Coordinates of all heavy atoms in Angstrom, one line a residue:
Chain A
I475 N 0.9 -1.7 -19.0 CA 0.2 -3.0 -19.2 C 1.3 -4.1 -19.2 O 2.4 -3.9 -19.6 CB -0.6 -3.0 -20.5 CG1 -1.3 -4.4 -20.6 CG2 0.2 -2.8 -21.7 CD1 -2.4 -4.4 -21.7
E476 N 0.9 -5.2 -18.6 CA 1.8 -6.4 -18.6 C 1.2 -7.4 -19.5 O 0.0 -7.6 -19.5 CB 1.9 -7.0 -17.2 CG 2.6 -6.1 -16.1 CD 4.0 -5.9 -16.4 OE1 4.7 -6.9 -16.8 OE2 4.5 -4.8 -16.2
F477 N 2.0 -8.1 -20.3 CA 1.5 -9.1 -21.2 C 2.5 -10.1 -21.6 O 3.7 -10.0 -21.2 CB 1.0 -8.4 -22.5 CG 2.0 -7.5 -23.1 CD1 3.0 -8.0 -24.0 CD2 2.0 -6.1 -22.9 CE1 4.0 -7.1 -24.5 CE2 3.0 -5.3 -23.4 CZ 4.0 -5.8 -24.2
L478 N 2.0 -11.2 -22.2 CA 2.8 -12.3 -22.6 C 2.5 -12.7 -24.0 O 1.4 -12.5 -24.5 CB 2.5 -13.5 -21.7 CG 3.1 -14.8 -21.8 CD1 3.0 -15.5 -20.5 CD2 2.4 -15.7 -22.8
W479 N 3.5 -13.1 -24.8 CA 3.3 -13.5 -26.1 C 4.2 -14.7 -26.5 O 5.2 -14.9 -25.9 CB 3.4 -12.4 -27.2 CG 4.8 -12.0 -27.5 CD1 5.5 -12.5 -28.6 CD2 5.6 -11.0 -26.9 NE1 6.7 -11.8 -28.6 CE2 6.8 -11.0 -27.6 CE3 5.4 -10.2 -25.8 CZ2 7.9 -10.1 -27.2 CZ3 6.5 -9.4 -25.4 CH2 7.7 -9.3 -26.1
F480 N 3.8 -15.4 -27.5 CA 4.6 -16.6 -28.0 C 5.2 -16.2 -29.3 O 4.6 -15.5 -30.1 CB 3.6 -17.8 -28.2 CG 3.1 -18.3 -26.9 CD1 1.8 -17.9 -26.5 CD2 3.8 -19.1 -26.0 CE1 1.2 -18.4 -25.3 CE2 3.3 -19.5 -24.9 CZ 2.0 -19.1 -24.5
N481 N 6.4 -16.7 -29.5 CA 7.1 -16.4 -30.8 C 6.5 -17.2 -31.9 O 6.6 -18.4 -31.9 CB 8.6 -16.7 -30.5 CG 9.5 -16.3 -31.7 OD1 9.0 -15.8 -32.7 ND2 10.8 -16.3 -31.5
Q482 N 5.9 -16.5 -32.9 CA 5.3 -17.2 -34.0 C 6.1 -17.0 -35.3 O 5.6 -17.4 -36.4 CB 3.9 -16.7 -34.2 CG 3.0 -16.9 -33.1 CD 1.5 -16.4 -33.5 OE1 1.1 -16.7 -34.6 NE2 0.9 -15.7 -32.6
A483 N 7.3 -16.4 -35.2 CA 8.0 -16.0 -36.4 C 8.6 -17.3 -37.1 O 9.4 -18.0 -36.4 CB 9.1 -15.0 -36.1
P484 N 8.3 -17.6 -38.3 CA 8.8 -18.8 -39.0 C 10.3 -18.9 -39.1 O 10.9 -19.9 -39.0 CB 8.1 -18.8 -40.3 CG 7.2 -17.7 -40.4 CD 7.4 -16.8 -39.2
Q485 N 10.9 -17.7 -39.1 CA 12.4 -17.7 -39.3 C 13.1 -17.8 -38.0 O 14.3 -17.8 -37.9 CB 12.8 -16.4 -40.0 CG 12.7 -15.1 -39.3 CD 11.4 -14.4 -39.3 OE1 10.3 -15.1 -39.5 NE2 11.3 -13.1 -39.1
A486 N 12.4 -17.8 -36.9 CA 13.0 -17.8 -35.5 C 13.6 -19.2 -35.3 O 13.1 -20.2 -35.7 CB 11.9 -17.5 -34.5
P487 N 14.8 -19.2 -34.5 CA 15.4 -20.4 -34.2 C 14.7 -21.2 -33.1 O 15.2 -21.4 -32.0 CB 16.8 -20.0 -33.8 CG 16.7 -18.6 -33.3 CD 15.5 -18.0 -34.0
V488 N 13.4 -21.5 -33.4 CA 12.6 -22.2 -32.4 C 12.2 -23.6 -33.0 O 12.0 -23.6 -34.2 CB 11.3 -21.4 -32.1 CG1 10.3 -22.2 -31.3 CG2 11.6 -20.1 -31.5
A489 N 12.2 -24.6 -32.2 CA 11.9 -26.0 -32.7 C 10.5 -25.9 -33.5 O 9.6 -25.3 -33.0 CB 11.8 -26.9 -31.6
P490 N 10.5 -26.6 -34.7 CA 9.3 -26.5 -35.5 C 8.0 -26.9 -34.8 O 6.9 -26.3 -35.0 CB 9.6 -27.4 -36.7 CG 11.1 -27.5 -36.7 CD 11.6 -27.3 -35.4
H491 N 8.1 -28.0 -34.0 CA 6.9 -28.4 -33.3 C 6.4 -27.4 -32.3 O 5.2 -27.2 -32.1 CB 7.1 -29.8 -32.6 CG 8.1 -29.8 -31.5 ND1 9.4 -29.8 -31.6 CD2 7.8 -29.7 -30.1 CE1 10.0 -29.7 -30.4 NE2 9.1 -29.7 -29.5
K492 N 7.3 -26.6 -31.7 CA 6.9 -25.5 -30.8 C 6.2 -24.4 -31.6 O 5.3 -23.8 -31.1 CB 8.1 -25.0 -30.0 CG 8.6 -26.1 -29.0 CD 9.6 -25.5 -28.1 CE 10.1 -26.6 -27.1 NZ 11.0 -26.1 -26.1
L493 N 6.8 -24.1 -32.8 CA 6.2 -23.0 -33.6 C 4.8 -23.4 -34.0 O 3.9 -22.6 -34.0 CB 7.0 -22.9 -34.9 CG 8.1 -21.8 -34.9 CD1 8.7 -21.7 -36.3 CD2 7.5 -20.4 -34.6
T494 N 4.6 -24.7 -34.2 CA 3.2 -25.2 -34.5 C 2.3 -24.9 -33.4 O 1.1 -24.4 -33.6 CB 3.2 -26.7 -34.9 OG1 4.2 -26.9 -35.8 CG2 1.9 -27.2 -35.4
W495 N 2.7 -25.2 -32.1 CA 1.9 -24.9 -31.0 C 1.5 -23.4 -31.0 O 0.4 -23.0 -30.8 CB 2.5 -25.1 -29.6 CG 3.1 -26.5 -29.4 CD1 2.8 -27.7 -30.1 CD2 4.2 -26.8 -28.5 NE1 3.6 -28.7 -29.6 CE2 4.4 -28.2 -28.6 CE3 4.9 -26.1 -27.5 CZ2 5.4 -28.8 -27.8 CZ3 5.8 -26.7 -26.8 CH2 6.1 -28.1 -26.9
F496 N 2.7 -22.6 -31.1 CA 2.5 -21.1 -30.9 C 1.6 -20.5 -32.0 O 1.0 -19.5 -31.7 CB 3.9 -20.4 -30.8 CG 4.8 -20.9 -29.7 CD1 6.2 -20.8 -29.9 CD2 4.3 -21.5 -28.6 CE1 7.0 -21.3 -28.9 CE2 5.1 -22.0 -27.6 CZ 6.5 -21.9 -27.7
Q497 N 1.6 -21.1 -33.2 CA 0.8 -20.5 -34.2 C -0.6 -21.0 -34.2 O -1.4 -20.5 -35.0 CB 1.5 -20.9 -35.6 CG 2.8 -20.2 -35.9 CD 3.5 -20.7 -37.1 OE1 3.2 -21.8 -37.6 NE2 4.6 -20.0 -37.4
S498 N -0.9 -21.9 -33.2 CA -2.3 -22.3 -33.1 C -3.1 -21.4 -32.2 O -2.7 -21.2 -31.0 CB -2.3 -23.8 -32.5 OG -3.5 -24.0 -31.9
R499 N -4.2 -21.0 -32.7 CA -5.1 -20.1 -32.0 C -5.6 -20.8 -30.7 O -5.7 -20.2 -29.6 CB -6.3 -19.7 -32.9 CG -7.3 -18.8 -32.2 CD -8.4 -18.6 -33.3 NE -9.5 -17.8 -32.8 CZ -10.6 -18.3 -32.2 NH1 -10.7 -19.6 -32.1 NH2 -11.5 -17.4 -31.8
S500 N -6.0 -22.1 -30.9 CA -6.5 -22.9 -29.8 C -5.5 -23.0 -28.6 O -5.8 -22.8 -27.5 CB -6.9 -24.3 -30.2 OG -7.8 -24.2 -31.2
F501 N -4.2 -23.2 -29.0 CA -3.2 -23.3 -28.0 C -3.0 -22.0 -27.2 O -3.0 -21.9 -26.0 CB -1.8 -23.7 -28.6 CG -0.7 -23.8 -27.7 CD1 -0.4 -24.9 -27.0 CD2 0.2 -22.7 -27.5 CE1 0.6 -25.0 -26.1 CE2 1.2 -22.7 -26.6 CZ 1.5 -23.9 -25.9
R502 N -3.0 -20.9 -28.0 CA -2.8 -19.6 -27.3 C -4.0 -19.3 -26.4 O -3.8 -18.8 -25.3 CB -2.6 -18.5 -28.4 CG -1.4 -18.6 -29.2 CD -1.1 -17.4 -30.1 NE -2.2 -17.0 -30.9 CZ -2.4 -17.3 -32.2 NH1 -1.4 -18.1 -32.8 NH2 -3.4 -17.0 -32.9
R503 N -5.2 -19.5 -26.9 CA -6.4 -19.3 -26.1 C -6.4 -20.1 -24.9 O -6.8 -19.7 -23.8 CB -7.6 -19.4 -27.0 CG -7.9 -18.2 -27.9 CD -9.3 -18.3 -28.5 NE -10.3 -18.1 -27.4 CZ -10.9 -16.9 -27.1 NH1 -10.5 -15.8 -27.8 NH2 -11.8 -16.8 -26.2
A504 N -6.0 -21.4 -25.1 CA -6.0 -22.3 -23.9 C -5.0 -21.8 -22.8 O -5.3 -21.8 -21.6 CB -5.5 -23.7 -24.4
M505 N -3.8 -21.3 -23.3 CA -2.9 -20.7 -22.3 C -3.5 -19.5 -21.6 O -3.4 -19.3 -20.4 CB -1.6 -20.2 -23.0 CG -0.8 -21.3 -23.7 SD -0.2 -22.6 -22.7 CE -1.4 -23.9 -23.1
S506 N -4.2 -18.7 -22.4 CA -4.9 -17.5 -21.8 C -5.9 -17.9 -20.8 O -6.1 -17.3 -19.7 CB -5.5 -16.7 -22.9 OG -5.9 -15.4 -22.4
L507 N -6.7 -18.9 -21.1 CA -7.8 -19.3 -20.2 C -7.3 -20.0 -19.0 O -8.0 -20.0 -17.9 CB -8.7 -20.3 -21.0 CG -9.6 -19.7 -22.1 CD1 -10.2 -20.8 -22.9 CD2 -10.6 -18.8 -21.6
A508 N -6.0 -20.5 -19.0 CA -5.5 -21.2 -17.8 C -4.8 -20.3 -16.9 O -4.4 -20.7 -15.8 CB -4.5 -22.3 -18.3

Side-chain angles (χ1 to χ4, degrees):
Chain A
I475 184 166
E476 295 293 319
F477 52 83
L478 175 157
W479 77 93
F480 297 98
N481 188 350
Q482 298 185 45
Q485 73 275 27
V488 175
H491 66 281
K492 292 191 180 180
L493 265 183
T494 310
W495 308 338
F496 302 156
Q497 288 170 351
S498 157
R499 175 182 181 269
S500 300
F501 179 84
R502 296 191 304 265
R503 282 193 67 95
M505 298 303 101
S506 191
L507 292 169

